[in-house]
Amino acid sequence: MTDVSIPLPKCQPLKILTGQKAIVTGGSSGIGKAVAIALGEAGADVVVNYHSNEEEANNVAQTITSAGSQALVVGADVSQEDQVQSMFRQAIDKFGTVDILVANAGLQQDAPLDEMTLKQWEKVISVNLTGQFLCAREAVREFKRRGVVEKVSCAAGKIICMSSVHEIIPWAGHVNYAASKGGIMQMMRTIAQEVAPFRIRVNSICPGAIRTPINSQAWNTQEAYNSLMKLVPYNRIGEPEDIGRAAAWLASDQADYITGASLLVDGGMCLYPGFAHGG
Ligand code: NAD
């Protein structure tokens, strides 16, 4: 059982987002990078938000430009209201509006409950949950101001929250992270309910185990990889491109009747693999 035996299937990107303007937070690495590139390849102009790695954000922007779309690199800490508002202003100044928000930025600061500091709890909640609230609020303000432009999209705007299988699966030693993702689930559903009459769609993607820096200890040795596969019935690790493709489709009019949904992209991780034999 190895990670190279089942490669990511090749797919030609479809131009399903032509003319749309997107913001992807945490777009300089991992899932955010793959999502920003996938949206760009699907025809959207993309704001690539970064927190610490401007150089890598510039590389992502260059890949998007090579695919024929425009890109703008904007540094902002998503947990800071003024920085989020400034990011949206810069996006609107450059591209005229925003049609798609992918609120992806997130982090982990793990510890057993009795060793977790208040600082660790607050840091994860402020980036993973408050950061998504701040970005979603600015996006909805812009979507409501502009309304539907039918030649661009049949929706006034689309928000995709990057959640996790841990909005469902409890995760010992990660109470701050699991609470942030459980919070995203109800935040997303509540916003979706509130803004559906404005033709604004709000959904989450719930990745399973995806090969990114956030969880490298879960896949960077063969032993760790094999152990991880016990949790993944589909028997391969997820690649960031798996999430990029899902995000491009979910943001497009092909998914127009979908709102308030949590889309699991997890190779079956939430299928209770421990029950496959017995139970
Ligand atoms: P990653 O560490 O590569 O990416 C996280 C990104 O968020 C980084 O670019 C980082 O700079 C950015 N970020 C952190 N704090 C920020 C802040 N205050 N402001 C703006 N940006 C900030 O890891 P990833 O796996 O690509 O994670 C992306 C998202 O996917 C996260 O929300 C994570 O919880 C979620 N996720 C990942 C996995 C996985 O297996 N990799 C599984 C489920 C969910």
Side-chain angles (χ1 to χ4, degrees):
M1 192 187 301
T2 70
D3 54 352
V4 287
S5 60
I6 309 176
L8 181 78
K10 290 202 185 336
C11 300
Q12 273 304 107
L14 302 172
K15 292 283 180 196
I16 49 181
L17 298 176
T18 301
Q20 302 202 43
K21 317 296 177 189
I23 293 180
V24 180
T25 68
S28 65
S29 69
I31 289 173
K33 172 181 174 176
V35 168
I37 291 170
L39 300 191
E41 287 177 343
D45 297 325
V46 184
V47 172
V48 181
N49 159 252
Y50 71 94
H51 183 234
S52 47
N53 195 339
E54 183 175 10
E55 195 185 335
E56 198 42 43
N58 283 329
N59 292 338
V60 174
Q62 203 156 21
T63 307
I64 292 168
T65 312
S66 310
S69 296
Q70 294 185 70
L72 175 70
V73 169
V74 178
D77 178 340
V78 297
S79 67
Q80 301 302 312
E81 185 176 35
D82 57 337
Q83 295 186 35
V84 169
Q85 290 178 332
S86 163
M87 174 172 70
F88 272 79
R89 271 197 306 276
Q90 290 177 64
I92 292 164
D93 284 352
K94 169 83 175 167
F95 293 140
T97 190
V98 176
D99 304 284
I100 300 163
L101 164 69
V102 182
N104 163 79
L107 46 73
Q108 288 179 217
Q109 291 198 354
D110 309 329
L113 176 64
D114 50 346
E115 292 170 22
M116 186 173 286
T117 63
L118 179 58
K119 210 169 154 199
Q120 287 173 315
W121 170 267
E122 288 181 341
K123 179 72 181 174
V124 171
I125 297 295
S126 74
V127 174
N128 294 13
L129 186 55
T130 308
Q132 292 208 9
F133 155 73
L134 290 170
C135 291
R137 189 184 62 175
E138 292 312 308
V140 165
R141 285 174 175 165
E142 174 59 11
F143 299 162
K144 279 188 173 178
R145 182 200 67 74
R146 195 205 55 243
V148 176
V149 178
E150 270 175 15
K151 66 181 186 336
V152 176
S153 172
C154 40
K158 282 83 57 153
I159 295 174
I160 297 175
C161 300
M162 201 56 68
S163 184
S164 165
V165 290
H166 294 297
E167 74 169 43
I168 302 168
I169 303 175
W171 202 15
H174 305 74
V175 65
N176 47 4
Y177 184 83
S180 74
K181 297 302 185 181
I184 286 170
M185 176 175 64
Q186 277 298 26
M187 181 187 72
M188 177 279 289
R189 286 160 55 87
T190 299
I191 299 173
Q193 187 191 60
E194 186 174 322
V195 301
F198 300 94
R199 299 266 298 275
I200 297 170
R201 297 194 295 111
V202 189
N203 294 287
S204 288
I205 292 177
C206 301
I210 311 297
R211 192 197 308 267
T212 75
I214 210 172
N215 62 358
S216 55
Q217 82 294 340
W219 50 261
N220 64 5
T221 65
Q222 193 63 50
E223 197 185 6
Y225 187 89
N226 291 348
S227 167
L228 180 65
M229 286 308 104
K230 293 187 188 130
L231 301 175
V232 184
Y234 204 59
N235 210 18
R236 76 163 168 87
I237 193 167
E239 303 294 347
E241 291 80 0
D242 285 307
I243 308 301
R245 290 170 186 177
W249 170 77
L250 191 55
S252 79
D253 283 355
Q254 296 195 355
D256 185 56
Y257 207 50
I258 301 176
T259 194
S262 288
L263 177 63
L264 294 167
V265 184
D266 70 345
M269 194 177 237
C270 286
L271 296 174
Y272 296 94
F275 279 76
H277 309 284

